Amino acid sequence: MEILLVLGVSLGVSAIDSLINFADIQTRGGFRGAVATLNTAQNPRAWVDLSYQLLGVVNGVVPALLALYLLSRAPGLAGFGIGLDTRRLKADLRVGLGFAALIGLPGLGLVIVARQLGLNAEISASGLADIWYRYPVLVLDAIQNGVLEEIVMIGFLLSRLRQLDWTPWKAIVLSAAIRGSYHTYQGLGGFVGNFVMGAIFGWWFTRTKRVLPLIIAHSILDTVSFVGYAALHGRVSWL
């Protein structure tokens, strides 16, 4: 019940919404002419838009806090039992940077190939206007994504499935499939790339029980994607 409720107020609903959108686009001609815009502006007035952007960040973090609260009911476990602590911060930073490089470069290649094959939408990683809060908000959005997805999909979900006596790989595949599903609004490439990322992250967490390096890696990946797109779009031909 905990799993269903946490997913129901966060990424589970996002997965269903994304799958509906995927079916809609596929039945209207496919992804060749589709555009997926991330981090969209919410209002033409700057202070109103900024307020909505910050509210969106808070809204994304709350389900992760709920998951941590539920995990905290097992006393005596450091880092909520999922390695969310700073005891090995330097090592976690190195691992996070390594994962960001390992996944980021092949992932970019997959997106480009999938787009050329018509299997993916054109991804606009920043729909925010060029205004003073653009880059801070993009960084906050990236961190929010890392916190939400890795705490809920890896730390919480895999821990609870382990307590339900699921085999590690069965749990990893389910987690990766849900992760891929809420990226299907991008197309088939979005599903495959994020499924692979989820499987790698799930395997590593199962071995180490540390989620912090995964949050770091995910936050770096999204920061580079969001900020890089905003800074280079229109200057680089393939963006």
Side-chain angles (χ1 to χ4, degrees), residues 9-33:
V9 298
S10 60
L11 297 166
V13 171
S14 297
I16 296 171
D17 180 83
S18 189
L19 287 168
I20 293 171
N21 183 67
F22 177 85
D24 177 38
I25 294 175
Q26 286 286 52
T27 54
R28 287 190 293 110
F31 280 86
R32 187 169 296 278

Side-chain angles (χ1 to χ4, degrees), residues 8-237:
V9 298
S10 60
L11 297 166
V13 171
S14 297
I16 296 171
D17 180 83
S18 189
L19 287 168
I20 293 171
N21 183 67
F22 177 85
D24 177 38
I25 294 175
Q26 286 286 52
T27 54
R28 287 190 293 110
F31 280 86
R32 187 169 296 278
V35 177
T37 303
L38 286 62
N39 308 303
T40 56
Q42 302 297 316
N43 194 283
R45 303 176 69 190
W47 72 269
V48 179
D49 183 53
L50 176 59
S51 299
Y52 278 129
Q53 298 297 334
L54 296 177
L55 180 61
V57 171
V58 173
N59 187 53
V61 169
V62 168
L65 297 179
L66 171 61
L68 292 178
Y69 172 75
L70 295 172
L71 290 169
S72 71
R73 294 180 303 170
L77 297 177
F80 299 93
I82 60 174
L84 190 62
D85 57 68
T86 58
R87 292 178 302 164
R88 300 171 48 189
L89 184 57
K90 290 184 178 179
D92 289 342
L93 284 170
R94 288 195 297 269
V95 173
L97 287 167
F99 271 132
L102 173 68
I103 292 171
L105 295 176
L108 178 60
L110 175 63
V111 168
I112 294 173
V113 171
R115 177 61 184 158
Q116 293 298 318
L117 294 175
L119 301 175
N120 234 48
E122 178 183 345
I123 299 176
S124 174
S126 172
L128 296 178
D130 189 4
I131 195 168
W132 67 268
Y133 60 79
R134 183 188 199 184
Y135 292 111
V137 164
L138 290 175
V139 172
L140 287 175
D141 279 339
I143 295 172
Q144 174 252 305
N145 288 346
V147 169
L148 172 62
E149 295 188 39
E150 304 317 324
I151 288 178
V152 171
M153 296 309 305
I154 297 295
F156 175 79
L157 181 57
L158 294 186
S159 295
R160 285 294 186 255
L161 291 177
R162 183 178 70 250
Q163 291 168 345
L164 292 174
D165 294 326
W166 281 47
T167 62
W169 276 109
K170 183 180 177 181
I172 289 169
V173 168
L174 176 64
S175 173
I178 296 173
R179 185 190 296 257
S181 295
Y182 59 74
H183 286 91
T184 51
Y185 70 92
Q186 300 174 6
L188 185 60
F191 174 84
V192 173
N194 283 279
F195 179 91
V196 172
M197 174 178 169
I200 293 172
F201 279 11
W203 167 82
W204 195 86
F205 177 78
T206 299
R207 290 175 59 87
T208 66
K209 300 298 185 293
R210 292 200 64 78
V211 78
L212 182 58
L214 307 180
I215 295 174
I216 293 170
H218 194 145
S219 299
I220 291 171
L221 285 168
D222 280 9
T223 297
V224 171
S225 298
F226 298 166
V227 173
Y229 181 90
L232 298 177
H233 181 60
R235 298 182 176 91
V236 179
S237 60

